Amino acid sequence: MENQKVQKKQCDLKTDLNLLLECLKYQMDCPVSQKEALITIYSICQQNSEASEYFREIGGLMFINDLAKSSAHCIVKEAALFTLGIIIESNVYCQQTLCTSALFEDLILFLINKDSGVNLKRMSVYVILVLVSNNKSGQTYVRDTGCISLLLQLFRTTLSTSEMNLSDENTNQCYQLWSSVCSTLCACVNNPQNEDNQNICCSVFPYAKEWLESCTEPEIVRPICSFVGLTVANNRRGCPLPETFLALSVAGRLCVKPFSTLSCCVLELTKAAMGVALTKYHTVSELLKLLSNDTLDAGEKISIILTIGHCTEVCEENQCELLQNNGLPLMIQVLTESQDEELNKAATFVLQNCKQMSKLTVTALKITE
């Protein structure tokens, strides 16, 4: 009986999708009806891989793809692109079907067309996002077509640092587009890691630095921190400028909490033998200031202390800065007061880096034994 119910439900769903596709085809002169049909299609296909796959099999996926390009009505274009994104996101075969240089080139045209509204651009970026997510082929197409360069341009130009009133409707729409661009750039460089795309994305670090220095809004700083962190992860060539790293430190002191990004950046700088370059920016003292923040949880403290550990691991200048700013007593305090094993390991890591510089460290290490 249960199987019969499931089969009937699947049969009804397929019937609905067939009827909705026919509605799309025969309502070309009625954009409102087409938009309503598209809304119903994506509500059916959302998080339903089987429905999305069936819709692809009956030709619906390619029809909507063509509709997004050919329709003269903006509301239909927007709804068509959003529906494509929903279907691609729910089914990997649909992603593979549409992951072509031709679609990326079409999306580029939407983004550069002066008549495209902010919402149409946002829908275009959403489709790019789902095409590149967990998809090496999509990451390659986004680079080879020049689409990633356009995304970086949008990252630089969509928002103005002097106009950050997110309660304003127009500004908020631009912010939504900018935020979508940040998410898409993150997907371009990560899962799987894509070093070529990482290296291209490094070009906007100076702009990221400006944002971090001029903005305190978490809605701005957090996406930038995620983007910078993923761009430098496991990539020595993708190290951020020391100035960008310092801006991250400033953002952290403003309690926006980009601590995992800080740690990631310093680790890559250290791997690339650039840790010494951070000394003139007093990075260790900046991190010690962050550590004094009473609002930090254990995970945030671990990230900061690990970052200090990466700074001091291969750089005597940074070790001296730690000593001069009472960093060792602070590490000892962590060891004596914390019951968190990972936090204690992080503090021990810092002390071990400096054990040749102070007898105090030897005493501190005995505490952990």
Side-chain angles (χ1 to χ4, degrees):
M1 179 64 72
E2 190 64 32
N3 280 342
Q4 289 179 343
K5 288 183 179 179
V6 172
Q7 289 176 352
K8 185 179 186 306
K9 184 176 180 180
Q10 291 176 339
C11 184
D12 291 343
L13 183 146
K14 291 179 179 180
T15 300
D16 289 343
L17 288 174
N18 276 290
L19 290 172
L20 287 164
L21 179 56
E22 291 302 307
C23 177
L24 283 179
K25 292 178 178 179
Y26 291 102
Q27 296 288 339
M28 298 299 288
D29 295 327
C30 187
V32 174
S33 296
Q34 283 192 313
K35 179 182 177 180
E36 291 174 352
L38 288 164
I39 291 173
T40 307
I41 290 168
Y42 74 65
S43 67
I44 292 173
C45 293
Q46 193 167 26
Q47 298 180 338
N48 189 333
S49 180
E50 290 184 5
S52 296
E53 174 62 12
Y54 177 75
F55 195 65
R56 181 184 73 88
E57 290 174 355
I58 62 175
L61 187 65
M62 296 311 298
F63 182 83
I64 293 179
N65 181 47
D66 293 337
L67 184 64
K69 292 186 292 184
S70 63
S71 178
H73 307 284
C74 188
I75 60 170
V76 175
K77 288 179 181 289
E78 292 173 3
L81 287 172
F82 186 70
T83 304
L84 284 181
I86 289 292
I87 294 173
I88 295 170
E89 193 170 17
S90 67
N91 185 277
V92 67
Y93 297 110
C94 294
Q95 183 190 54
Q96 292 172 355
T97 298
L98 285 181
C99 190
T100 62
S101 60
L103 180 53
F104 279 97
E105 289 164 0
D106 290 336
L107 294 167
I108 288 173
L109 292 177
F110 285 133
L111 291 172
I112 64 175
N113 191 330
K114 63 180 181 180
D115 294 326
S116 294
V118 174
N119 202 44
L120 181 59
K121 291 181 179 180
R122 190 159 66 93
M123 295 303 103
S124 301
V125 172
Y126 169 55
V127 176
I128 297 170
L129 169 63
V130 294
L131 286 171
V132 300
S133 294
N134 305 305
N135 184 10
K136 188 175 182 179
S137 296
Q139 292 177 336
T140 300
Y141 282 126
V142 80
R143 180 177 67 254
D144 291 347
T145 59
C147 187
I148 194 170
S149 298
L150 182 55
L151 291 172
L152 292 170
Q153 180 182 336
L154 290 171
F155 175 83
R156 297 192 305 265
T157 61
T158 300
L159 284 180
S160 169
T161 55
S162 61
E163 299 175 3
M164 274 313 303
N165 180 14
L166 294 182
S167 62
D168 177 75
E169 184 177 351
N170 291 331
T171 303
N172 188 262
Q173 280 191 339
C174 290
Y175 168 76
Q176 295 300 328
L177 172 59
W178 180 85
S179 178
S180 297
V181 168
C182 289
S183 298
T184 305
L185 288 171
C186 288
C188 288
V189 301
N190 183 55
N191 283 339
Q193 180 193 351
N194 191 302
E195 288 193 15
D196 291 331
N197 289 351
Q198 284 178 314
N199 294 333
I200 293 171
C201 287
C202 289
S203 65
V204 297
F205 279 176
Y207 297 92
K209 168 182 170 288
E210 290 180 13
W211 277 108
L212 292 169
E213 289 177 337
S214 61
C215 290
T216 60
E217 290 87 352
E219 295 88 352
I220 297 294
V221 176
R222 284 173 179 156
I224 292 177
C225 289
S226 296
F227 170 54
V228 171
L230 291 173
T231 301
V232 304
N234 302 311
N235 183 9
R236 296 185 185 187
R237 291 177 60 196
C239 293
L241 300 171
E243 294 91 343
T244 306
F245 176 84
L246 182 64
L248 283 167
S249 296
V250 172
R253 201 163 66 246
L254 293 169
C255 304
V256 190
K257 306 179 181 179
F259 304 118
S260 60
T261 302
L262 281 168
S263 184
C264 181
C265 290
V266 170
L267 179 58
E268 298 309 324
L269 285 163
T270 303
K271 287 179 182 176
M274 290 177 62
V276 176
L278 293 174
T279 58
K280 68 177 181 178
Y281 297 99
H282 306 294
T283 302
V284 170
S285 62
E286 289 287 340
L287 292 169
L288 290 171
K289 290 176 186 176
L290 290 178
L291 197 57
S292 65
N293 192 319
D294 293 334
T295 64
L296 301 178
D297 59 30
E300 291 160 353
K301 289 180 180 179
I302 290 170
S303 291
I304 294 172
I305 295 174
L306 283 176
T307 305
I308 294 172
H310 295 319
C311 284
T312 56
E313 190 170 13
V314 293
C315 179
E316 289 186 6
E317 289 90 340
N318 285 332
Q319 293 171 2
C320 289
E321 188 175 337
L322 180 74
L323 291 172
Q324 292 165 0
N325 288 273
N326 297 316
L328 291 182
L330 189 56
M331 294 303 115
I332 294 169
Q333 182 181 350
V334 170
L335 287 171
T336 55
E337 295 181 358
S338 174
Q339 302 298 315
D340 189 295
E341 183 179 354
E342 293 303 314
L343 189 56
N344 289 338
K345 285 181 181 179
T348 302
F349 171 43
V350 175
L351 291 169
Q352 287 173 333
N353 289 341
C354 304
K355 64 184 177 182
Q356 299 300 324
M357 301 190 64
S358 171
K359 293 180 181 179
L360 181 60
T361 312
V362 177
T363 303
L365 288 173
K366 290 181 180 179
I367 298 174
T368 64
E369 295 176 354

